[in-house]
Structures are given as C-alpha cells and as structure tokens.
C-alpha cells in the first residue's frame, strides 16, 4: 500500500496571470535610461562659488526659494491676524 503525498506536487495556478514583459525580453542596451547626469551635477554642486546649495542651479532655484519665503511670511502674517481677530471680544 502506498501513502498519498501530503504536499501537492503540482504547481499552483497563477493568481494574477502572466507578466506583460519578462526581464529576458528587454533589449540588452540601456538606451531608454538616458545619460547619467550625476557627475555633472556633482561638479556643479561642489563648485566653490559662495552660493548655498539650494540656489546653485540659477533662476529656477531662486524663483522657488523666493516663492516659498513669500508664502511662509504671508501665511505667518495671516495666522497672526486671525489669532488677533479671534482674541477680540465680539460687540453685541
């Protein structure tokens, strides 16, 4: 008499189906990845020109920095005005 195996020897059915592309199907070239920009950016950010690192890329960085500062200062003033108005008693 033989015993039945406890564990099934068949592979389970796929739950999500098959993948759309296998890694072996991809081309060997890495042309879709583009050029590595890290060495160029390292040269830019390590240059000793006296600028802080968050302003080294020129006009876009200056625009983002000034916009952030303006929104921060404006939000602080708005909060202080709202707090002052909330602390005043209402006239009845």
């Amino acid at each position: 008499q033989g015993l039945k195996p406890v564990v099934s020897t068949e592979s389970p059915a796929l739950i999500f189906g098959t993948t759309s592309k296998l890694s072996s199907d991809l081309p060997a070239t890495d042309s879709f990845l583009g050029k590595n920009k890290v060495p160029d950016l390292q040269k830019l950010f390590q240059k000793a020109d006296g600028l802080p690192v968050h302003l080294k890329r020129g006009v876009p960085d200056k625009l983002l920095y000034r916009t952030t500062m303006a929104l921060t200062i404006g939000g602080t003033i708005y909060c202080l005005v709202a707090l002052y108005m909330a602390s005043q008693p209402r006239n009845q």
Side-chain angles (χ1 to χ4, degrees), residues 3-38:
L3 298 175
K4 290 169 74 176
V6 177
V7 179
S8 173
T9 57
E10 299 176 8
S11 63
L14 292 174
I15 296 173
F16 297 107
T18 60
T19 58
S20 60
K21 282 189 178 182
L22 298 174
S23 61
S24 60
D25 293 342
L26 293 176
T29 61
D30 292 334
S31 62
F32 61 91
L33 293 177
K35 183 179 179 271
N36 185 6
K37 297 178 184 179
V38 173

Side-chain angles (χ1 to χ4, degrees), residues 13-72:
L14 292 174
I15 296 173
F16 297 107
T18 60
T19 58
S20 60
K21 282 189 178 182
L22 298 174
S23 61
S24 60
D25 293 342
L26 293 176
T29 61
D30 292 334
S31 62
F32 61 91
L33 293 177
K35 183 179 179 271
N36 185 6
K37 297 178 184 179
V38 173
D40 298 333
L41 291 174
Q42 284 177 338
K43 288 177 188 173
L44 174 71
F45 287 122
Q46 292 176 355
K47 192 183 336 175
D49 55 4
L51 286 174
V53 72
H54 60 274
L55 295 176
K56 287 213 181 223
R57 291 180 70 187
V59 174
D61 283 347
K62 288 180 184 176
L63 182 65
L64 284 171
Y65 177 75
R66 290 179 180 166
T67 302
T68 303
M69 287 283 93
L71 288 171
T72 302

